[in-house]
Amino acid sequence: MFGFLKKNKEKQPAKPVPEEPQLSETEQEQLKDQIERIKIQVKELEAADPLQDAELAKLYESLGLAYEKLSQVDEAILALEKSLDLKLSIGDGYKKLMSLYNAKRAEAARNGDDEGIEKYMNKMDDMRQIAKKVTVGGK
């Protein structure tokens, strides 16, 4: 009776997770060169005018995004966090950092690492607070 209300019990095949395209050696070298150029720009800007937080934030964001493309996750996280320390923003760097935190949290969950789960959940909570500050405060 009321068979139309019953859920279809047949398991649907899992949708394949799309893989990110692999970078060619040339693309990897270009990103590494870009990282080195950005590092030089950061040092020059910090030496010339350490109060240029907005410009430094952009450079660190670019640095973090380049590291992420090279799958250097920890370096990407550090650079993106530095960017947000200098200037709150909810741009591409913010989105990528949230994604990296979520991936780290998922990895910790797979490994049964409760401390890691809590650490990255707290970091994601901090990110949501940044979004509130930026959207409400207009920073």
Side-chain angles (χ1 to χ4, degrees):
M1 189 163 117
F2 301 113
F4 62 91
L5 294 175
K6 292 183 181 177
K7 289 185 178 178
N8 186 353
K9 295 199 180 212
E10 287 183 33
K11 291 250 181 193
Q12 298 296 323
K15 294 181 182 178
V17 177
E19 289 186 24
E20 290 190 27
Q22 296 296 317
L23 297 176
S24 70
E25 285 185 36
T26 303
E27 291 170 320
Q28 289 179 18
E29 287 304 315
Q30 289 172 340
L31 280 170
K32 288 176 184 177
D33 289 343
Q34 178 184 354
I35 286 170
E36 290 309 312
R37 285 191 308 274
I38 294 170
K39 285 181 176 180
I40 290 168
Q41 288 178 305
V42 165
K43 285 180 183 176
E44 289 173 351
L45 189 58
E46 286 177 335
D49 187 358
L51 300 177
Q52 289 290 326
D53 288 351
E55 189 61 33
L56 277 172
K58 288 179 188 175
L59 289 172
Y60 276 109
E61 180 180 62
S62 296
L63 188 61
L65 294 172
Y67 275 132
E68 190 279 330
K69 285 181 182 176
L70 288 172
S71 299
Q72 296 179 9
V73 174
D74 293 332
E75 291 86 351
I77 288 173
L78 290 173
L80 294 170
E81 287 175 340
K82 179 72 173 174
S83 173
L84 289 175
D85 285 344
L86 292 166
K87 183 172 187 323
L88 297 181
S89 163
I90 53 175
D92 291 338
Y94 171 92
K95 294 171 194 168
K96 184 55 68 181
L97 186 55
M98 184 65 108
S99 173
L100 292 173
Y101 284 162
N102 194 40
K104 287 284 202 174
R105 180 213 43 85
E107 180 183 335
R110 283 191 301 277
N111 294 331
D113 177 6
D114 291 339
E115 285 181 26
I117 294 169
E118 185 173 346
K119 173 183 175 180
Y120 288 103
M121 289 298 292
N122 288 338
K123 286 184 176 273
M124 290 190 307
D125 286 342
D126 293 344
M127 296 293 285
R128 286 187 273 281
Q129 292 304 315
I130 289 172
K132 284 181 185 178
K133 286 179 187 176
V134 170
T135 55
V136 173
K139 283 190 175 181

